[in-house]
Amino acid sequence: DTNMSASNVVTCPAHPNAIITEDYRAGDRICTECGLVVGDRVVDVGTEWRTFSNSDKKQTDRTRVGQEESEFSPTTLGTSIGQTKPGQESDLQRAQRHLGATNTRVERNLQEATREINRIASLLNLPAKITDRARRYFKQADEKRLLKSKGKEAVVAACVCIACRDEGVTRTFKEICAVTEIPVKIIARCYKKIRAELGLTTTASGSAAEFMPRWCSGLSLPRSIQMAAVTVSENAKLCGVVEGKVMTSYCAAAIYLVCVLGGQDKGLQDISAVTGASQAAIKESLKEMHPVRAYLLPKNFELKAKLDTVPSFGTPRIANSVELAQKAGLQPIADLAS
């Protein structure tokens, strides 16, 4: 620095004209001629690179800063001051309570919602990207004052549903209902309201191929049965015999049909418990599938029972279902010999 006075310049006593180098690791100033340390306590003003991961032994993921601060983190520190004596509040506790009381309404609601979202995510095995997106939707909904009309708990459940749909994670309204005890109708109503108010585009509710692996795994069914159930569901939708039916109900009906004909001992009660579809809804879908059951099965399906083994559960609503299946290009499989 040209403005630095001569008294502040560090030089080597033996070599006044020698170049002085700075060792930032050791914090020393060293004479390049004789190696004499002519000064210490040098502060490194450069960037510091280090790793914050305990598992990264080779330090390949180095960074200049710590973990990124979340946009949902509370503005106050999360330290809790314990009581020195039961029933007595110290000055620090009163200060912390006052500091917490100064949080805005949105912050307080977001903190409560975060705890509930994390609880739901833990029960449904949802990844972190779902919880982050759900919190973001909740914050936006709270800023638009949607909690007052819909209720905080229902909005939280709906935000989790929306986050699951947007991230492609298959979770039904009934699964969310099972862990929140909020009626499906209320969750569905909040779901539509939040999507409309936030301007979110409507996404598909998922296909049979996305739900089947989890449901069949819960029923301990082999992969051949799972793939056959997917085919039955898709063919039933293709020919229109399940038009107007909820996807959960006709997928559950497809599982039941394939289990009966594939020699798997799974009843309506077992399938209903895993899929969340009521037994009455499954029977209604089976009623429509029954006349075209031979058309819905995959061509390479190995029958373990005759087609008549599948109960009809009543008269179908669609009378020309066989004609619809033929128009859709479906071919029936051969029944077992008598």
Side-chain angles (χ1 to χ4, degrees), residues 141 146 155 158-159 162 190-200:
L146 297 182
V155 172
C159 288
I162 296 173
C190 288
Y191 177 92
K192 294 179 181 179
K193 179 69 174 179
I194 293 172
R195 274 205 177 278
E197 291 291 335
L198 300 185
L200 302 174

Side-chain angles (χ1 to χ4, degrees), residues 258-289:
V258 173
C259 285
V260 171
L261 298 177
Q264 299 292 323
D265 186 18
K266 300 296 178 183
L268 286 174
Q269 185 175 0
D270 301 324
I271 297 173
S272 174
V274 172
T275 61
S278 65
Q279 296 186 42
I282 298 174
K283 290 179 181 179
E284 285 296 320
S285 295
L286 282 168
K287 188 190 301 182
E288 303 299 330
M289 291 181 178

Side-chain angles (χ1 to χ4, degrees), residues 75-258:
T75 56
T76 58
L77 295 177
T79 305
S80 177
I81 308 299
Q83 291 184 343
T84 55
K85 294 182 180 180
Q88 294 184 1
E89 189 177 41
S90 64
D91 294 339
L92 284 176
Q93 286 176 315
R94 282 192 294 271
Q96 186 184 41
R97 179 167 52 81
H98 175 71
L99 184 63
T102 59
N103 289 348
T104 64
R105 174 189 59 82
V106 174
E107 289 176 339
R108 291 194 300 271
N109 288 340
L110 183 60
Q111 291 176 18
E112 294 176 7
T114 297
R115 289 192 290 269
E116 178 63 12
I117 290 171
N118 290 338
R119 186 188 70 84
I120 296 173
S122 175
L123 294 173
L124 296 178
N125 296 320
L126 298 176
K129 62 180 181 180
I130 299 295
T131 59
D132 291 341
R133 185 180 285 268
R135 288 198 296 267
R136 186 176 299 109
Y137 288 154
F138 179 88
K139 185 177 181 181
Q140 294 173 3
D142 192 14
E143 291 171 349
K144 289 183 175 291
R145 300 281 183 163
L146 297 182
L147 303 189
K148 187 175 181 181
S149 59
K150 297 299 180 182
K152 189 183 303 181
E153 294 79 9
V155 172
V156 168
C159 288
V160 173
C161 289
I162 296 173
C164 288
R165 295 284 175 87
D166 290 352
E167 291 291 346
V169 177
T170 54
R171 294 295 185 273
T172 63
F173 286 154
K174 288 192 175 181
E175 289 178 286
I176 304 294
C177 171
V179 297
T180 60
E181 297 183 355
I182 299 174
V184 174
K185 290 184 178 180
I186 296 179
I187 297 177
R189 195 178 301 125
C190 288
Y191 177 92
K192 294 179 181 179
K193 179 69 174 179
I194 293 172
R195 274 205 177 278
E197 291 291 335
L198 300 185
L200 302 174
T201 57
T202 303
T203 56
S205 59
S207 63
E210 295 173 342
F211 284 94
M212 284 297 183
R214 188 156 47 88
W215 288 341
C216 291
S217 175
L219 291 166
S220 301
L221 296 174
R223 180 169 176 78
S224 58
I225 296 295
Q226 171 191 319
M227 299 306 295
V230 171
T231 302
V232 170
S233 301
E234 293 176 346
N235 287 342
K237 185 178 180 180
L238 177 64
C239 64
V241 296
V242 291
E243 185 177 356
K245 303 291 184 185
V246 180
M247 186 199 65
T248 307
S249 62
Y250 69 76
C251 284
I255 294 174
Y256 178 80
L257 189 148
V258 173

Side-chain angles (χ1 to χ4, degrees), residues 11 23 26-27 57 68 141 164 169 259 295:
T11 59
D23 183 359
K57 296 181 180 180
E68 180 182 3
C164 288
V169 177
C259 285
Y295 291 86

